[in-house]
Amino acid sequence: MNVPAPATAPAGFAPAATEEHATAQPGNPDDRATKRQRVLEILDAKGHDSMLLTSHTALTWYLDGSRMHISLAGDPIAALLVDRSGEHLITFNNEAERLAAEELPPGVELHMVPWHGQLTDAVGALAGPGEPLAEAAVAAELRAARQPMLPGESARYARLCADAARAMTDVLSRATPETTEFEVASALAARIVAAGAEPLVLLCSGSSRSAFRHPLATHAPLGRRAMAVVCARRHGLVANVTRWVRFDVGTPEELDAEERIAAVEADIFAATVPGATLGGIFAEIQAAYARHGFGADQWTLHHQGGPAGYAGRDPRATAATGDVVVPNQTFTWNPSGPGVKIEDTVQLTVAGTTVLTLDPRWPASDVNGLPRPLTLQL
């Protein structure tokens, strides 16, 4: 099956132009007010007057999409002190001008330390009496505060997820057996960056490397079958998607495994309902592998996903994770088996589960009412 490229897309692997996302910008005042109230409720419950946010996940969530990084591999370039009087962003003097001009939401006070200093140097004077509550001390409470997505961030997330899915279609529909894994990864990166996002994870494996579940790209050609994975971040939110392409009809074993892994995922979606715990869903994941012929130990060979949003997984689900599923929460489950994997970012609403990483051009089948991706056959 050939997937037509958009009429505006250039040939080959050049990045396609993207539209301006004017209707889904960060810094929604109503969303920010709700987030502040959630943090104040944590302070009330803990008997503290201030909290210091220091991670990318917490900062981008609370500031509603502001970019707090320079290096994708580095620590945040700011810390945020939230107290009962307001919000105080501490950053280095060489970052302050740009943050104030381009990233800082209204009402947040900006404070500087020298570029060679420490962000925590300014905390004591700002916090007043009493030690600020450390982010690590309320990790579970902050996760719970992030889980129900608000209207503004839900709109931004849906746009990002659709862009990531379109990038996959644009790139993989142009691939050939001779295309290398690095060529796929670089073409995906170009499209993600052109969409105003950051490619946090880019994986690709051709037929010679299909045994690897986290395949960093190499110069190997795709061969007869390939997998690509993208985790793209924009305004702090991370979209996760996996797609497969093949250049023949597939073997009976591959077709059977693809159908069975989709059945495993369907069981996971059925278990992901408001009020369920992540640990309970994880137990269903373990049972689903055995139920669909993958073996009871398959879950031990790769993480299974979990809630998504301001982190790739927030958190990864395990048998010991007690977080409770709530409406408007987003998830990326990624069951996998030998030579197969399925992964999309979805949102759970009162109306049910909605697939966010969806491109109508990509071939799909209906599984329990949801469009689930098939392998693109070229």
Side-chain angles (χ1 to χ4, degrees):
M1 176 178 180
N2 288 301
V3 177
T8 56
F13 283 89
T18 58
E19 65 182 68
E20 189 69 26
H21 300 278
T23 60
Q25 292 300 307
N28 182 293
D30 292 337
D31 285 5
R32 287 202 63 240
T34 299
K35 292 175 181 183
R36 174 169 173 78
Q37 183 58 39
R38 291 176 183 175
V39 168
L40 291 177
E41 289 170 359
I42 297 173
L43 292 178
D44 290 342
K46 296 295 183 179
H48 277 254
D49 290 322
S50 62
M51 180 188 301
L52 187 65
L53 303 179
T54 55
S55 71
H56 287 292
T57 300
L59 287 165
T60 54
W61 166 73
Y62 188 84
L63 294 171
D64 203 43
S66 299
R67 296 174 296 180
M68 291 291 121
H69 71 278
I70 296 298
S71 167
L72 292 178
D75 293 330
I77 56 170
L80 185 72
L81 182 73
V82 181
D83 62 22
R84 299 187 184 278
S85 66
E87 297 136 0
H88 309 272
L89 190 76
I90 306 160
T91 191
F92 301 105
N93 65 314
N94 59 321
E95 308 290 355
E97 184 177 6
R98 183 187 60 80
L99 290 182
E102 299 179 344
E103 304 290 344
L104 202 64
V108 179
E109 293 186 9
L110 186 63
H111 306 267
M112 290 184 291
V113 298
W115 64 264
H116 51 83
Q118 300 294 320
L119 295 174
T120 53
D121 291 346
V123 172
L126 293 172
E131 191 76 13
L133 191 60
E135 183 181 323
V138 286
E141 290 85 351
L142 284 170
R143 278 204 313 272
R146 290 191 294 269
Q147 303 304 22
M149 285 241 172
L150 296 163
E153 57 193 348
S154 290
R156 294 197 303 275
Y157 205 18
R159 286 291 193 95
L160 168 64
C161 287
D163 283 348
R166 282 193 291 268
M168 281 289 204
T169 304
D170 289 346
V171 171
L172 293 182
S173 65
R174 292 171 170 81
T176 72
E178 292 73 36
T179 302
T180 69
E181 296 167 353
F182 272 136
E183 286 173 332
V184 169
S186 63
L188 286 170
R191 278 170 169 75
I192 295 302
V193 173
E198 300 125 16
L200 300 185
V201 177
L202 287 170
L203 305 178
C204 185
S205 61
S207 55
S208 67
R209 304 176 63 242
S210 61
F212 302 130
R213 306 211 187 188
H214 276 165
L216 294 175
T218 72
H219 289 292
L222 299 185
R224 54 173 294 272
R225 183 171 179 262
M227 178 186 75
V229 178
V230 164
C231 300
R233 182 176 67 187
R234 188 169 66 208
H235 305 319
L237 293 161
V238 183
N240 313 288
V241 58
T242 294
R243 293 290 184 264
W244 289 81
V245 61
R246 67 168 152 250
F247 306 97
D248 59 20
V249 297
T251 68
E253 293 78 15
E254 288 167 354
L255 299 174
D256 175 65
E258 289 168 3
E259 185 174 337
R260 288 186 292 115
I261 203 67
V264 172
E265 185 197 48
D267 290 350
I268 301 171
F269 285 152
T272 307
V273 295
T277 66
L278 295 185
I281 298 171
F282 193 80
E284 177 58 30
I285 293 172
Q286 294 171 300
Y289 277 116
R291 185 183 304 127
H292 297 290
F294 284 102
D297 66 340
Q298 194 60 226
W299 66 272
T300 67
L301 303 179
H302 191 272
H303 81 84
Q304 302 302 306
Y310 289 90
R313 303 297 188 275
D314 194 19
R316 291 181 180 179
T318 69
T321 316
D323 297 39
V324 176
V325 174
V326 297
N328 297 322
Q329 193 170 358
T330 53
F331 295 88
T332 301
W333 300 110
N334 49 263
S336 64
V340 289
K341 178 189 177 187
I342 190 166
E343 178 183 24
D344 270 305
T345 303
V346 305
Q347 185 165 31
L348 180 66
T349 70
V350 292
T353 298
T354 300
V355 181
L356 300 181
T357 41
L358 185 66
D359 183 353
R361 298 174 297 158
W362 191 271
S365 64
D366 184 286
V367 180
N368 292 351
L370 289 180
R372 304 310 304 125
L374 299 172
T375 296
L376 176 63
Q377 193 165 307
L378 298 176

